[in-house]
Amino acid sequence: MEPDVLLKRYSVGDRDFAGVRLRHANLSRSVLTGIDLSRADLTEAALQSTNLQGADLRGAILSGVNLSQADLRGADLRGVILISADLRWVSLRKANLTGADLTRANLANADLSEANLTGAQLSEAILRDANLTLTDLTLAELERANLTRANLTEAYLRGADLADAVLRESQLLQANLRGANLSATNLQQANLERAILIGANLRRARLEEANLREVTFKEANLRHACLDNAKLVGADLRGVSLAQALLRKADLSSAILIGANLMGANLSGADLRGANLIEAILTGASLNGVDLSAVDMSEAILPDGYLAE
């Protein structure tokens, strides 16, 4: 179908364009609210600044499409294919992107607040400065994605895969990352205050200078993670593995480390005032410059291998 035919039919009230073929079509700046383009082929189409509020794009093929600055608020994009699409500054607020394929898509500065991205594929996607507040990313694939400075406040990322992703300076305040894979993820200077990371995999993660106040890390894996200068005030680290982790000058005041594994960890210069290290394992750990006078270390295994009284 030619773009002018579609626009003419739309202008007289037709909304059903399911399954149409519009490869390379130019529909930029068009108003197509409520249109049905489910299963349509819009490969490499030009849709920048197009108004597609409430549109039905279920199962549509939009690979390589230009949707920069488009309005897709409340649109249905379940199962849509948006591989390598240009989605910069797009509005997808409250859109349904369940199972969508956004591999290598550029979503820089996009508004995805309150959107549903359950099971979405976002590997290597660019989400710099994107708004993902209250977004549902349950089981989403975000390996190697760039989320620098993204706002993920209260986002739901349970079971999401963020391996090797970049979340430097991102906002993850009260985000739910239970069981998420964050291995080798860059979270330097990120704000995760009061986030939930129960059972998460943070092996070799970069968390230098991150705000981790009151984070629940219970049963998480932080082996070989770097937490130098991180703020872990009041964090729940019960049963966490911090073996070989770097915690130099980290603030662990009032942190709960009951039963934590700190074998070979470097805590030089860390603040442990009021911390609870009951039954913690500190074999081979470095505690240079650490004041332990206000630390509860009952039955902890000390760096020299002896059991604390």
Side-chain angles (χ1 to χ4, degrees):
M1 181 181 289
E2 294 299 317
D4 57 340
V5 174
L6 180 145
L7 293 171
K8 184 175 181 180
R9 285 175 51 184
Y10 183 90
S11 69
V12 295
D14 193 355
R15 297 294 182 268
D16 186 1
F17 297 93
V20 298
R21 184 181 172 88
L22 287 158
R23 295 169 69 93
H24 308 289
N26 187 351
L27 291 163
S28 300
R29 298 176 178 80
S30 301
V31 177
L32 299 169
T33 57
I35 193 170
D36 183 355
L37 287 165
S38 57
R39 306 183 309 284
D41 186 352
L42 289 144
T43 302
E44 297 184 8
L47 291 159
Q48 57 265 43
S49 302
T50 299
N51 188 340
L52 288 155
Q53 276 191 64
D56 185 349
L57 288 151
R58 287 174 296 168
I61 302 171
L62 293 153
S63 294
V65 73
N66 186 345
L67 276 159
S68 58
Q69 300 183 65
D71 189 346
L72 284 148
R73 284 176 290 173
D76 191 343
L77 294 119
R78 284 175 287 174
V80 73
I81 299 172
L82 281 156
I83 297 170
S84 300
D86 185 349
L87 294 154
R88 291 172 297 166
W89 297 97
V90 72
S91 179
L92 284 157
R93 181 176 173 81
K94 294 187 176 180
N96 191 341
L97 289 134
T98 302
D101 191 345
L102 292 134
T103 304
R104 295 185 298 281
N106 189 343
L107 290 135
N109 298 102
D111 183 1
L112 290 146
S113 55
E114 300 183 69
N116 188 346
L117 285 145
T118 301
Q121 176 60 255
L122 289 147
S123 298
E124 300 180 47
I126 299 169
L127 289 144
R128 288 193 306 268
D129 300 295
N131 182 3
L132 293 144
T133 305
L134 294 167
T135 301
D136 191 344
L137 288 148
T138 303
L139 300 174
E141 302 287 335
L142 288 144
E143 307 99 307
R144 299 178 298 283
N146 188 339
L147 290 128
T148 303
R149 294 183 303 278
N151 187 351
L152 290 136
T153 299
E154 296 187 62
Y156 201 77
L157 291 135
R158 185 164 182 163
D161 192 347
L162 291 137
D164 296 296
V166 179
L167 289 113
R168 189 182 179 103
E169 298 177 57
S170 59
Q171 292 292 323
L172 286 147
L173 181 67
Q174 298 184 63
N176 190 330
L177 290 139
R178 188 177 190 129
N181 182 13
L182 293 146
S183 58
T185 300
N186 186 339
L187 286 151
Q188 293 172 303
Q189 300 177 326
N191 180 12
L192 290 107
E193 187 166 345
R194 298 194 300 281
I196 298 170
L197 284 149
I198 297 171
N201 179 13
L202 290 135
R203 185 182 176 91
R204 298 188 185 281
R206 301 286 303 276
L207 291 148
E208 296 100 312
E209 300 180 35
N211 179 8
L212 304 165
R213 291 175 181 271
E214 299 179 36
V215 170
T216 304
F217 283 105
K218 193 162 58 174
E219 307 297 334
N221 181 3
L222 284 148
R223 293 177 67 88
H224 298 282
C226 185
L227 297 115
D228 289 341
N229 295 295
K231 295 178 179 64
L232 289 142
V233 179
D236 186 345
L237 292 143
R238 282 177 286 182
V240 168
S241 177
L242 283 155
Q244 306 296 322
L246 298 175
L247 291 145
R248 292 168 295 195
K249 295 185 179 180
D251 188 348
L252 287 149
S253 54
S254 302
I256 303 168
L257 289 142
I258 298 171
N261 181 358
L262 288 147
M263 290 181 65
N266 191 337
L267 292 128
S268 299
D271 186 350
L272 286 162
R273 287 175 296 175
N276 188 333
L277 283 132
I278 293 173
E279 297 181 351
I281 303 169
L282 291 149
T283 309
S286 175
L287 295 164
N288 294 328
V290 178
D291 182 0
L292 298 170
S293 61
V295 181
D296 190 344
M297 301 182 72
S298 305
E299 298 184 52
I301 300 175
L302 302 176
D304 59 8
Y306 286 99
L307 184 68
E309 297 180 358

